[in-house]
Structure formats: structure tokens, C-alpha cells
Amino acid sequence: MAVALSGGGDSMALLHLAADWTKAHGRRLLALTVDHNLNALSADWTRFAGEAARAVGADWRSLRWNDAASGPGLTARARAARHELIAEAARDAGARVVLLAHTADDVAEADWMRARGSTLGRVREWSPSPVWPEGRGLMLLRPLLNERREVLRDYLTGRGQAWIEDPANADARFGRSRARAALASALAGDVDRAAFPPRLLRDHPPQQGEGEAGLMAWAGVLEIPRDAPAARLAAALVCAGGGAVPPRGDRLAGLMARLAAGEDFTAGLAGARVEAEGARVLLMRERGEMRRRAPEAMTLTPGVGAVWDGRFEITARAAGWRVTVAEGRLARLSAGDRRVLAGLPPAARGGLPVLIRDGEDAPVLAWRAATVRMLAPQRLRLALGETTQEADLFHPMHGETPPTDLFS
């Protein structure tokens, strides 16, 4: 288990709570501190966080953002960089869950900002990492969303622990700081002492279903109902396209209207192709988009999984293979591989990965010489909140791998 540790009061309280919990449950704890390189004291703050982590018996890593620069969108850029660095470090360490110290105050501030035009998203207690593909298979847990900052600082004081106060929290140039100042008086004095000390991990409800991976999900094809709600449709489009940017609201609304009207059509959105015919709606990689921006060929290292096109994780079984797109190479596949593709929509075939040996030009479907995991089913399930247990992250899902006899 990993915990994001800035050294501020919220994350310091979470560090101590997490250390107590992991010791009691026989788990290892890794604390990750991101130095955004935006303050002259950031190196001192990083050292403070490292000392605090080691003092509670946690492993610790310092991560540095080297691309910091002033200008528009600095807060958003720093947030994205922080998530990427934390995701990569957590995955490298074998962690599947990262604890974040968001509080009830953070929720209230975000609500205040959204009411004034901010596009800041809502945080959930249990959600997938927002970065792709760095955060694949990685969950974020925010166990303090019902707790107040004042409670957490009382908790630290009771344990004789110090924390850092970042002066940027009072800098009116930042929307979060303005929200904090505006809400300070309204929130003051409303602390639930019965919640002290705060809980760390809450029980999560059992898994509620298997999602809608679809029979062809192993090949990157997702099937959805015509009446899929906006959130499910948007998530499915992003997962099928392998990207990270959701569709614009107006274009998504237009697509939903066509689906609701029962229209048969093909369309492209968010890097995905939509094929609607009768009651069936299939989503797959958009062929034209792939031709315009084809994923680069990658040389594979045996035994090391590599994410290709944001949709497949490919682990070669032997050296000398590189992965590239099937488009333009379909006619050179073996008769057996072409039989496999015959069961797929024609538009989906060119988006599959093929392997080519160094010095040769005879492609084979990647499944012939590598272990291939389709990422879209698990990614869609995580995005929709259908994976509620950490243990679920370790179990293969329907659609992640092909039927056992397909490549026999």
C-alpha cells in the first residue's frame, strides 16, 4: 500500500493512520513525496516528509517534477504530473492502492469552485488512478473524506507530531486558496469530536456485477446498450479508443440522441468507432484515427509487460519481437490468423497488435508469441465504480484474455 505524503497536516495524519493499519494487518507501507519544484523551501519539505515516513517504519521515495514553469494552468499541470509520478512509483513498487488525504474541507472547497465555473471533478472515496496508461490497475483510496482538517490536526497534536503549512494555501492567486478563505468562517466550529480519532479504512460493499465487457472484448471491441447513460457511454468510448480525454459534452449528447432514436449508423468519437445496428452498439478503435496517428512500433523485452496503444498490455515470451499495428499487414497474416479475425467486425481487425521478428516481415497476431491482456474491460469497470475491493484488481476479467481455444 502506498500513501501520498506532502508533509502537510492532512497527509501527515494519514501517514500515521496508515502506518498503524499496515502494521496491524501485516502490510508494507510506501510513502511517496512529490517535489513540485515550485517553492524555495520544497527541498526542506521533502526532507521533512522523508524523515516522518521513516520514523513510522514506512519505505519512502522522493519524486521530483522537473518541468515546472509559471503560466496558465499551473495547478492543473502540477496535479497531473503528481498523479503520473505517484502512479509510476507505486506500480514499480508493486502497490495496487494509493491513499490520498482528501478531507471534507476539500470536498466543500471543490463544490464552492464548481459553483463559480470551475471544471474541477468530484472526488470519490474509491476510484481508479486518473492517468493512463501509467495508472492502469491502480486504485486511489481517500479514507478521510468525512473528516475535517481540524480533527486531523488535533489528532497529530495528540501524538506530538508536527506538520508543514504551505503558504500557497493562503495565496489568493489560486482558486483553491480563495475557496478555502471563503469557507473558513462558515466551516469553523463545526467539528464532530465523536469522530476523533478518524477511521482509516471503511468496509466496502461487495462487488455488484461483472460489467459489460462483451464477447469480443479481448480484441478491443466493447458492446453497450442503446440506452447507456452518459457516464457509461463516455467511459466506454475512452476505453475503446485507448486514450485519456473524454468526449465533449455536446458531441456526446448528439451521439446519445442518435442512439435513442434507434438510428443505424457509424460514427467516430474520442478515438473510438461506434457501429450501431438494430439493438446492438459496438465500440472499437477508430480506424481513421489510427491511420492518422498510428501507435509506434515497440521492441518488446521478454517477461516485461508493455502497454501498446493504451489498450493492450503485451508481454513477449522470447526476444527479438516488436509490436506494431495490424492495419496494412492483414493480408500477410497466416490463414489461421485470418480465420480468427473473420469473427470480428471488419473495422476492428486493423487495430489489433501484431508481432514481427527482427529482420523479418512476416506478422503474426500478438497472441501467438506473447501474453496479451486487453485493458479496456478492467479500465471500464474501474471507471464506473464497479470494482469495490482491492482483491478484485488481481482477478482476470471476462474479455481481458481471448477464449482458450481461439489460438489453438
Side-chain angles (χ1 to χ4, degrees):
M1 182 174 287
V3 58
L5 177 65
S6 67
D10 301 340
S11 70
M12 283 291 291
L14 183 57
L15 171 70
H16 283 268
L17 291 161
D20 291 347
W21 188 90
T22 50
K23 289 174 184 175
H25 291 79
R27 299 282 289 269
R28 291 182 58 196
L29 181 64
L30 169 67
L32 300 171
T33 300
V34 177
D35 182 350
H36 293 90
N37 196 26
L38 294 172
N39 188 289
L41 296 175
S42 64
D44 294 333
W45 296 346
T46 298
R47 280 192 294 272
F48 172 84
E51 292 169 358
R54 296 188 184 103
V56 299
D59 297 328
W60 177 74
R61 277 195 61 188
S62 171
L63 311 169
R64 185 176 175 84
W65 185 35
N66 293 316
D67 296 326
S70 60
L74 176 60
T75 302
R77 286 186 284 114
R79 182 169 58 247
R82 180 166 62 251
H83 275 295
E84 289 178 5
L85 290 167
I86 287 174
E88 290 177 345
R91 283 179 54 83
D92 287 346
R96 292 296 186 110
V97 176
V98 177
L99 303 177
L100 301 180
H102 292 100
T103 67
D105 299 77
D106 292 307
V107 174
E109 290 159 8
D111 288 343
W112 187 92
M113 295 167 67
R114 276 191 297 273
R116 287 152 182 81
S118 172
T119 58
L120 193 67
R122 299 181 186 276
V123 297
R124 305 201 309 260
E125 183 180 58
W126 179 246
S127 63
S129 169
V131 291
W132 188 263
E134 297 90 346
R136 64 191 186 281
L138 189 68
M139 296 298 293
L140 307 181
L141 178 62
R142 302 174 177 89
L144 303 179
L145 285 182
N146 292 331
E147 312 299 345
R148 293 285 311 283
R149 289 193 187 113
E150 185 176 346
V151 171
L152 299 178
R153 281 151 180 75
D154 286 347
Y155 169 71
L156 288 174
T157 300
R159 296 184 68 145
Q161 301 297 324
W163 62 89
I164 294 168
E165 289 291 354
D166 186 349
N169 291 334
D171 191 332
R173 290 176 300 172
F174 302 114
R176 175 73 67 173
S177 301
R178 294 194 297 273
R180 183 171 299 194
L183 293 171
S185 59
L187 293 175
D190 184 24
V191 178
D192 181 7
R193 297 295 174 180
F196 177 82
R199 293 178 293 168
L200 175 60
L201 298 180
R202 295 172 172 83
D203 293 330
H204 295 287
Q207 180 177 316
Q208 294 297 317
E210 289 299 315
E212 298 177 350
L215 294 177
M216 292 181 289
W218 69 269
V221 181
L222 301 179
E223 184 172 357
I224 62 168
R226 278 187 176 267
D227 61 351
R232 179 176 290 275
L233 178 57
L237 287 165
V238 172
C239 293
V245 180
R248 289 202 331 247
D250 56 342
R251 297 196 64 190
L252 182 64
L255 178 62
M256 293 182 69
R258 297 182 72 180
L259 291 172
E263 181 182 346
D264 290 345
F265 64 94
T266 61
L269 185 57
R273 175 184 174 91
V274 183
E275 293 189 357
E277 183 176 0
R280 197 177 199 195
V281 181
L282 300 179
L283 308 180
M284 63 204 74
R285 184 72 157 91
E286 209 286 308
R287 197 171 182 175
E289 182 70 17
M290 175 164 272
R291 287 171 177 167
R292 286 188 293 271
R293 286 188 286 270
E296 294 185 4
M298 297 170 57
T299 299
L300 300 175
T301 301
V304 178
V307 175
W308 181 81
D309 196 37
R311 299 179 298 138
F312 298 93
E313 187 174 62
I314 303 173
T315 306
R317 304 186 190 108
W321 290 103
R322 58 190 172 91
V323 58
T324 189
V325 64
E327 184 75 25
R329 301 174 176 85
L330 295 171
R332 299 203 300 275
L333 292 172
S334 68
D337 279 355
R338 291 199 299 273
R339 280 194 297 272
V340 171
L341 298 184
L344 298 174
R349 299 168 190 171
L352 295 179
V354 296
L355 300 187
I356 302 176
R357 277 198 179 279
D358 292 341
E360 300 180 4
D361 193 26
V364 299
L365 286 178
W367 292 263
R368 296 285 185 191
T371 300
V372 182
R373 180 184 173 213
M374 179 58 199
L375 299 174
Q378 182 74 281
R379 185 184 182 190
L380 178 58
R381 188 172 167 189
L382 294 174
L384 297 175
E386 294 174 354
T387 296
T388 58
Q389 303 284 347
E390 180 189 355
D392 293 346
L393 301 175
F394 298 87
H395 297 158
M397 286 182 56
H398 171 66
E400 286 187 10
T401 56
T404 54
D405 61 345
L406 193 58
F407 290 93
S408 59

